[in-house]
Each structure stands twice: as C-alpha cells, then as structure tokens.
Amino acid sequence: MKPIIGVTSSETFNGSKEYCQVHIDNITAISKAGGIPMILPNVEDLSELKRLASQLDGLYLTGGEDVDPQLYNEEPIPELGIINPRRDLFEIKITQIMLEQQKPVLGVCRGCQVLNVALGGSLYQDIYSQIDGKLLKHRQSAPDGHMTHFVHVEKDSLLYRLIGLEQFKVNSRHHQAVSSVASKLKVSAVASDGIVEAIESDASNFILGVQWHPENLVVAEDAISLRIYQGFIHACQKL
Ligand code: MN
C-alpha cells in the first residue's frame, strides 16, 4: 500500500481572496516516489492534531515564508521577511506530534527550518545581515530547477546513505538558515560558505530537513533528488 503523506501548505492573498496552496512540484515529487500526497491546511484548532497525525504515514514540510523569530526567543530584525503565525503554529505542532508518533518527517527549505525550531533550535533571521564574511548567493536568480551551489555531505549520515555522494549541487532560494541546531538533530550537509544545508536525526526513523528545493529538481529529472523522496516514502511504508 502506498503511504499517505501530509503536505503542509502556504497561504496567499489575491485581492480580498485568501487561498491555501501547495506548489505542484511537491505533489509531483511525492507521487513520483510512490506516496499519496494529502494537502494539510493550517487549521487554527490544534486540539485534534493527534488524530489527524494518526491518519498520516509521513509528514512533508514545504517551503514558504520566514519563521516567526519569537518561536526561538528572538525579536525581529528589519531584514525579517513575511511571517504567518497560523502556519508556524500548525506546522510546529504537527511536526512535534509526528515525531512523538515515531513517524518520518521530510522538510524542504522553510520545512528544514521549521523542523529545527519545532525541536528547540534557532535560525538566522537573515543570513546576509547576521553572518560576517562572504556568503554565497543563496537566493538564486536562475530558474527554480537550476543547480547553483554545492553542498558537502557528512559521510556518516542518512543523507549520505540516500545519495552516496560527498558533494553535489543544489538549487537555493533562502535568506534564512539553521543557526543553533536542535539537540536531537545534527548537521548532515553544509554549503561551501558553511551555511547549514541539511539536518537530520540519529533516530531510526527518517527525520531530514534540506535547505534547498529538491522538489524542483525532481521535476527537472534529477535522479539524486528523487532518491531523497524515495528514501522518505520507503521509511513511511515501513511503519
Ligand atoms: Mn543554499
């Protein structure tokens, strides 16, 4: 049986209308790897989330806006982007519940950041104003599926076991990044400038956050990125 994967969603405003939406590449990547994607709206009533989580075989945290720095005990700097408190609370809570239920979690971009904050870690609100020294261009101007910078992978990691390469290129569309890593997580890949590009847990179940957008790369026919989704779906099937 194919596993059911909860896919978190963004909210957008178009005039007076408000929409709940997911970039289709996320749906394509999960489907291609053998999962059944189920879009999760950012509901305000969190009292039934355990029941919701019990219906899911895995959680996929999508990309999106910045995470509210209050959630890691910081006040906002001027370079902080748009935040959505409802989405933050929903995603953090359902992530915590899925981890309590020992279920696999994969986060991309913002999803990697949410995973870290949900477990008690912190973020750079804006890497360019908060880190001294020369950084790479992490907000690429190239098309979404174009790979622009390298990531360097720890050999003793889930990410390495999935991909089997010590370095490879990824796309990049972020200005926030993991700062202090949650105690239950470890860094499994960094960019050439030291920015954290992947975090994971040593727990036996699949818990992985990547700072790039593998969903776009899967759609661009990148076999490496597909292996991340296949590994995730495989872990969800083992429950
Ligand atoms: Mn990057």
Side-chain angles (χ1 to χ4, degrees):
M1 279 214 308
K2 289 184 174 185
I4 295 176
I5 310 301
V7 179
T8 63
S9 59
S10 305
E11 290 166 23
T12 56
F13 303 89
N14 183 352
S16 60
K17 293 179 182 168
E18 210 171 328
Y19 295 88
C20 160
Q21 68 176 29
V22 175
H23 192 291
I24 197 84
D25 287 1
N26 295 296
I27 303 299
T28 305
I30 288 169
S31 304
K32 202 167 174 181
I36 301 172
M38 189 164 92
I39 296 173
L40 306 175
N42 301 303
V43 294
E44 278 174 14
D45 178 4
L46 304 180
S47 65
E48 296 285 342
L49 284 196
K50 281 189 182 165
R51 249 182 76 216
L52 174 61
S54 69
Q55 306 297 310
L56 304 173
D57 300 308
L59 177 68
Y60 178 76
L61 298 162
T62 58
E65 308 88 339
D66 288 358
V67 178
D68 187 347
Q70 292 182 70
L71 296 166
Y72 47 91
N73 301 315
E74 284 184 17
E75 292 189 281
I77 63 168
E79 292 80 8
L80 179 71
I82 294 168
I83 61 168
N84 179 341
R86 176 169 55 196
R87 181 176 183 189
D88 286 340
L89 292 180
F90 173 78
E91 288 190 330
I92 284 173
K93 192 69 188 162
I94 195 151
T95 299
Q96 291 168 340
I97 292 171
M98 290 294 281
L99 296 177
E100 276 165 25
Q101 295 184 4
Q102 303 275 311
K103 289 179 176 169
V105 175
L106 173 62
V108 302
C109 199
R110 169 195 160 87
C112 172
Q113 299 160 4
V114 166
L115 175 63
N116 190 46
V117 173
L119 290 173
S122 72
L123 306 178
Y124 289 109
Q125 295 183 41
D126 177 64
I127 54 176
Y128 295 102
S129 49
Q130 293 186 305
I131 299 175
D132 293 329
K134 285 209 160 122
L135 293 180
L136 298 174
K137 185 177 172 76
H138 286 276
R139 198 170 243 170
Q140 70 188 46
S141 307
D144 289 351
H146 186 65
M147 294 178 256
T148 58
H149 73 64
F150 280 107
V151 293
H152 307 273
V153 183
E154 289 292 329
K155 275 197 96 169
D156 179 22
S157 68
L158 167 66
L159 185 62
Y160 184 81
R161 289 193 293 279
L162 291 170
I163 290 183
L165 294 169
E166 284 182 76
Q167 65 170 42
F168 55 94
K169 270 188 174 171
V170 299
N171 55 356
S172 193
R173 292 202 307 278
H174 60 106
H175 79 115
Q176 299 205 306
V178 168
S179 175
S180 73
V181 182
S183 58
K184 286 181 183 164
L185 298 172
K186 64 174 189 179
V187 173
S188 49
V190 294
S192 306
D193 57 6
I195 292 292
V196 172
E197 290 280 340
I199 51 174
E200 62 180 69
S201 165
D202 274 331
S204 56
N205 48 343
F206 188 114
I207 300 168
L208 175 66
V210 301
Q211 186 54 67
W212 65 96
H213 285 275
E215 74 279 16
N216 301 141
L217 303 180
V218 167
V219 170
E221 303 290 339
D222 175 44
I224 290 174
S225 298
L226 183 59
R227 275 183 241 152
I228 294 174
Y229 288 92
Q230 287 170 330
F232 172 54
I233 299 301
H234 183 69
C236 296
Q237 270 166 333
K238 281 199 298 197
L239 290 173

